[in-house]
Amino acid sequence: MKIKNYVKYFKGVCKHKWLVLKECYNYGILWRGIWHDMSKFSISEFGPYARYWIQNDGNMKGKTQEVQDQFRVAWQHHANHNLHHPGYWINNDYEEPRALRIPIQYVYEMVADWIACSIEHNNGFKQDEPLEYYKKNLRDNYHFHMATKVVLDMMMVDFMRYDYDFVILRIRDGYYEDVYD
């Protein structure tokens, strides 16, 4: 793969981090936005992610088995080292995996990540996208602690029922945090 492809991937990560940083600033958790996805610059993730995402827009189709396997290992590293990923909060010390309650600042960072992805994929925020993404990919596919699932459900419905600014006000006023406690 050519250097320009790695540069393209680097720019894409920086753009994503910038969008998440702006969201986290709106939520009052600027520090989480600064640290968001820093592991993507690590040796464990950068190369495999770049090789996976640059060609074919991250589609497995057309990838060699080696590229797919390297990406899966890098993804596992990412999910296990970033507090805003639900997989980080699974305790596998039992026969059945147990979901741990995700601290609210990481729930907010997770939502900021989804919003940033919505902006990137749609050239702007689509009000229904966070709820649709959550329902399609996460809600029933991950082991969320019940309290985490309840607060995420509330936030996603509020995005749909009201609007973005309403959810920001609720975050800033501590509404979801009060419900979560």
Side-chain angles (χ1 to χ4, degrees):
M1 198 162 87
K2 296 179 180 175
I3 295 289
K4 70 178 183 176
N5 290 331
Y6 289 102
V7 171
K8 182 178 178 183
Y9 174 70
F10 177 81
K11 287 179 178 178
V13 172
C14 290
K15 177 184 177 186
H16 176 72
K17 283 184 58 54
W18 174 249
L19 292 170
V20 173
L21 176 71
K22 291 191 320 187
E23 286 303 307
C24 286
Y25 173 78
N26 289 338
Y27 301 173
I29 54 167
L30 180 64
W31 193 246
R32 294 304 323 148
I34 292 169
W35 282 105
H36 180 81
D37 279 356
M38 287 299 278
S39 69
K40 285 190 178 174
F41 299 114
S42 72
I43 291 170
S44 301
E45 295 179 28
F46 190 84
Y49 264 71
R51 285 186 289 280
Y52 178 79
W53 285 108
I54 292 306
Q55 298 170 346
N56 301 332
D57 296 323
N59 187 339
M60 282 285 188
K61 189 175 172 184
K63 301 280 193 263
T64 65
Q65 189 62 47
E66 181 183 14
V67 168
Q68 291 180 37
D69 292 344
Q70 288 173 353
F71 174 76
R72 286 186 182 106
V73 169
W75 166 249
Q76 193 63 51
H77 181 272
H78 184 74
N80 289 338
H81 289 83
N82 287 275
L83 302 168
H84 67 281
H85 282 282
Y88 182 92
W89 299 97
I90 301 296
N91 184 340
N92 291 308
D93 291 342
Y94 301 93
E95 249 180 64
E96 289 285 320
R98 292 187 187 178
L100 303 173
R101 186 179 158 129
I102 303 174
I104 195 72
Q105 71 265 27
Y106 306 123
V107 172
Y108 292 158
E109 182 184 355
M110 183 174 17
V111 172
D113 194 21
W114 300 346
I115 299 295
C117 288
S118 174
I119 292 168
E120 288 171 292
H121 296 160
N122 298 305
N123 294 320
F125 175 67
K126 283 182 62 181
Q127 194 165 325
D128 62 336
E129 181 130 8
L131 176 62
E132 292 307 313
Y133 176 80
Y134 171 63
K135 284 182 357 188
K136 180 180 175 187
N137 299 301
L138 297 171
R139 189 178 193 286
D140 297 322
N141 297 326
Y142 275 90
H143 296 285
F144 281 110
H145 186 277
M146 185 52 67
T148 303
K149 188 179 274 193
V150 166
V151 80
L152 281 169
D153 286 349
M154 289 177 63
M155 290 177 75
M156 297 302 107
V157 168
D158 284 350
F159 272 119
M160 283 293 296
R161 186 175 296 153
Y162 304 107
D163 64 10
Y164 175 83
D165 292 332
F166 180 82
V167 175
I168 297 299
L169 282 173
R170 283 195 155 180
I171 290 171
R172 290 293 219 159
D173 290 344
Y175 175 81
Y176 299 114
E177 198 167 343
D178 290 345
V179 170
Y180 204 43
D181 287 336

